[in-house]
Amino acid sequence: MKILAGVIVGFVMLVAIVWLTKTWSAANKSKPFTNSEKAYETGLSSLWPIAKAYWNTQRQAPAPVNAVPLMTLTQDILSQTHDDAIYRLGHSTILMRLDGEYVLIDPVFSERASPVQWAGPKRFHESPISIADLPAIKAVIISHDHYDHLDKAAIEQLADKVQHFITPLKVGEYLTAWGVDPIQVTELEWWQSVELNGLTIIATPAQHFSGRGLLDRDQTLWASWVIQGLQHKIFYSGDSGYFGGFKDIGERYGPFDVSMIETGAYNELWSDIHMLPEQSLQAHIDVNAKVMIPVHNGTFDLALHDWFEPFERINKLAKQHHVTLATPKFGQAVMLANPQANELWWRDIMINPATDDVEQQDNVRKMDELNEVVTDHN
């Protein structure tokens, strides 16, 4: 009965959110931002199937039962090389070194991706490096204002370590409200760019939405990003459904050395705003990148799939389509001059908690290794 009551209360809250949002939007004077191809609408007709899916879906592994492997980072470790590199810190938080300067993308260091720290999606693992241990940051790039990408506590701590904050339109207003000097903040519309001593950062389209509360739907812009140094060029998708904009980006700015593409927190019910793995792979192909790093996975439980499913699905798809995939451990360097081969680190901890079937997982790993040998021989 308690579970049923919780579902009923949750559904009533969803109805209230929809009504309040639509009522406020009709009265609000500022024009909301929109997607270029698909308008993402939330109403009772879409919320009811989502509520049913959350009620009915049975999952074996929504979160890891064993510790997620990390490679600890410090300033001393980072200073051991000056080569261009990418380090996944968690979810969509990326630290990269280009031309000797550090760029930080969507920094989320808090325990939960939530408006409060006593409830909401909780991290599976710590960050490989703390904000205090980070080196001086040339630029922080924010893709949009959702809690798993824009972390107030992190921004407040980063304000004195960062030279520039680059955001889509109106997102910068959050930063200045949280203590960042307005002179440090640059807001960009799609296709606009900023140059920072040879480092070019370009805001490109994405298909998503924005809002941090009940009454601010689509009042800030969302974006994907092109980051171009003197030697290497990176594409970051931010959060997005699949759309024709990826081909446009590839034609304008490709080829890329690496694409960091959203591959996680997906479901058919909301595929307009979060790509399914097959679409993520196609987005990588569309932007014309050499190596794909799947992101937006492995740190928070934000959907209905098992925590390791995005890695398994994209790994299988990459093999089928001969796409070079890099899946580093959190904190592990991906050297842009020569990205390492795909590492299946999640296989060591993806044991079904219901059966603890170690032998089954070992057999899966051995079959993949055998397939790779056969493929290389052919």
Side-chain angles (χ1 to χ4, degrees), residues 211-226:
R212 290 173 71 84
L214 298 181
L215 305 177
D216 62 346
R217 174 65 181 270
D218 295 343
Q219 293 301 300
T220 64
L221 186 60
W222 48 94
S224 59
W225 295 89
V226 173

Side-chain angles (χ1 to χ4, degrees), residues 62-73:
V65 294
N66 296 313
V68 174
L70 303 176
M71 297 187 69
T72 301
L73 291 173

Side-chain angles (χ1 to χ4, degrees), residues 324-345:
T324 302
L325 194 70
T327 53
K329 295 184 180 76
F330 295 111
Q332 183 177 9
V334 176
M335 308 307 294
L336 292 180
N338 185 27
Q340 77 268 15
N342 190 27
E343 184 170 348
L344 311 182
W345 59 264

Side-chain angles (χ1 to χ4, degrees), residues 201-250:
I201 299 172
I202 306 158
T204 45
Q207 184 169 285
H208 202 53
F209 72 108
S210 66
R212 290 173 71 84
L214 298 181
L215 305 177
D216 62 346
R217 174 65 181 270
D218 295 343
Q219 293 301 300
T220 64
L221 186 60
W222 48 94
S224 59
W225 295 89
V226 173
I227 305 104
Q228 183 170 357
L230 298 177
Q231 299 181 52
H232 296 105
K233 188 167 25 174
I234 312 300
F235 174 71
Y236 169 55
S237 70
D239 281 6
S240 182
Y242 180 75
F243 73 128
F246 291 122
K247 289 184 179 179
D248 294 338
I249 293 165

